[in-house]
Amino acid sequence: MSEHTDSTALYPAADVAAWRAAGYWNDDTFATFLREAAARFGDNEAVVGHDLHGVNHRLSYRELSTAADATARRLRALGITRGDFVVVQLPNTTEFLPTIFALFHLGARPVFALPAHRAAELRHFLASTNAAAWIAPGSHNGFDYRDLAREVLPALPNPVQVIIAGPDPAEFASLGGDPVADLPAPAPVAPEELAFLQVSGGSTGIPKLIPRTHADYLYSVRESARICQLSTATRMLVVLPVSHNFTMSSPGVLGVLWAGGTVILTEDPTPTSVFHLIDAEKVTMTAAVPPLAMTWLALRPRIDAHLDTLEVLQVGGAKFPAEAARKVTPVLGCRLQQVFGMAEGLVNYTRADDPEDVVTGTQGRPISPADEILILDDEGHPVPEGESGHLLTRGPYTIRSYFNGADPGAFTDDGFYRTGDIVRRLPTGHLIVEGRDKDHINRGGEKISAEEVENHLIAHPDIIDAALVAIPDDYLGERSCAWIISDTPPTATEIREFLTRRGLAAYKLPDRFEFESSFPLTGVGKISRKALRRRLAATLTTDTSKDD
Ligand code: OOB
């Protein structure tokens, strides 16, 4: 068994003892989570959605638990066993929950890939975990995961069994097929063991693998469900990829299942589809990344649907500009909750009883009284209260190292995680995210915060969304380029005048504008700054050749 099933390798024993004594950690595990939910909530509706064959389902807790048992018997027959890593790359379809709970039942460890991940990511996940299997959809949404498997498998050092969850598995195994094995008893996993690997959500570079234990993750799930006031009446629409940490646990599908509510899965994030689903399914809560939330806000007036059951829109994953945040209640008629989290652990929420300016102007405060927050300057000294600096954190659900000790520089010697985020803190403990370490454009020594300029840009009535990125410049080092999404784009001069009227310093005015109909996005739908920079580099190369 690998060192990663050993609790002491993941958290210091003294901390574990303290968290247990405080009641943060307990003996719950994912191996029995669904059975216990089924015992408590039996006939309540657990999940609504369609499967990879396009068949619609409505499953009670009991039915979901039975489906997970059937999947466990199938996976057991395919040889999956305790301790195995299994890469799960499934979309928002009803196979997802039975699959992960089947793996938990067997004591196997899911590795949560996103449907948008491709060869580079999959190769990394499969090889570095020595994965036993990879569960993928088959052909789905115009992409053939079987071809991806054919491309990736031959180059792997380890043999990986590909299991296709949708129709037509071709030469691979089928998740739904016979034969099935007898159902073993739930694996006797320890709460402090590694439960699964999440993947880091950086908008640059290859994702890192994040070892989460049953105890730490379940603590964050229970507390998230409590903070977000979930109950058996909660009906959560899941639009973001289901395996992302936000969607899984903040409070996400696991929080809803913990509380006995209903998860409604959809694969279609377009405003028309989302609004009609909210109407038809009497959705009370949903979650979006900012680019998606901005589209919903922009298109709400054009779509005829009743959203009166919707109580909360959660927005997180990237900075939600205050200008947009202020529109949520007037436009959608629901409350906003900002969520600032990371797959590595720490999650912050604005609370239901926070004043409006805190809800629209901050990214929330930590889940736990035991979350330690450090805000440091470039030299590693604490900044004066209220000033911005690098966020480091440590606590009862934040990892102490990446899987296999990757990127050790991301952690201090005393176990703090360097988030890479620049934040400041209000006296109430609420954090305001000002950007990433690298999102500051250095224009001849003058630092420009991308977030600040973007905030001003989207205040323009004709601008739906905006992103500011650096362009390399021989003279200044960097200049700024604003990418604008707009149906009726203003001219560059109009935008500069608008920004000047809002009091933006001249050096912060974008040097260049690019107008687009959509942004390149990361797997979960955040704006990919890496892809924007690449696109910009290509545009600039073309421009240069025109000049020649
Ligand atoms: C969530 O997790 P990841 O792992 O995909 O990305 C984490 C990073 C953070 O370090 C931060 O840079 C950024 O995404 N981020 C935000 C934010 N929420 C996440 N930046 C500004 N404002 C926010 N509200 O994205 C994630 C995990 C759990 C819950 C919510 C989001």
Side-chain angles (χ1 to χ4, degrees), residues 369-401:
D371 282 320
E372 295 173 77
I373 299 291
L374 294 177
I375 305 178
L376 305 181
D377 64 19
D378 290 347
E379 280 71 50
H381 304 119
V383 298
E385 191 62 43
E387 289 188 16
S388 63
H390 303 269
L391 170 66
L392 284 79
T393 185
R394 188 170 69 174
Y397 59 99
T398 297
I399 56 166
R400 298 296 176 98
S401 65

Side-chain angles (χ1 to χ4, degrees), residues 14 80 153 249 278 304 320 337 340 415 436 446 485 512:
I80 304 302
L153 290 191
S249 64
I278 292 174
D304 183 23
F320 195 37
Q337 179 179 46
F340 163 40
R436 298 276 307 163
E446 291 185 298
I485 308 277
R512 184 187 173 101

Side-chain angles (χ1 to χ4, degrees), residues 199-202 210 244-247 249-250 315-320 338-347 363 417 419-421 433 435-436 451 524 526:
V199 304
S200 68
I210 296 171
H244 187 262
N245 196 59
F246 186 7
T247 331
S249 64
S250 305
V315 180
K319 175 74 179 256
F320 195 37
Q338 298 215 38
V339 188
F340 163 40
M342 52 209 73
E344 286 82 356
L346 180 72
V347 178
Q363 280 60 59
Y417 167 55
T419 67
D421 295 313
V433 182
R436 298 276 307 163
E451 317 284 331
V524 74
K526 305 185 196 187

Side-chain angles (χ1 to χ4, degrees), residues 305-355:
H306 294 287
L307 305 187
D308 30 297
T309 54
L310 188 67
E311 292 162 10
V312 187
L313 170 67
Q314 294 187 297
V315 180
K319 175 74 179 256
F320 195 37
E323 284 291 337
R326 281 193 284 271
K327 292 184 191 161
V328 169
T329 300
V331 174
L332 298 177
C334 65
R335 189 161 66 73
L336 168 68
Q337 179 179 46
Q338 298 215 38
V339 188
F340 163 40
M342 52 209 73
E344 286 82 356
L346 180 72
V347 178
N348 303 272
Y349 295 103
T350 57
R351 306 302 206 261
D353 56 0
D354 280 340

Side-chain angles (χ1 to χ4, degrees), residues 118-128 151-152 155-158:
R118 294 294 177 258
E121 289 92 3
L122 265 300
R123 208 175 288 129
H124 168 55
F125 300 156
L126 292 163
S128 59
E151 178 189 346
V152 166
L156 290 175
N158 51 314

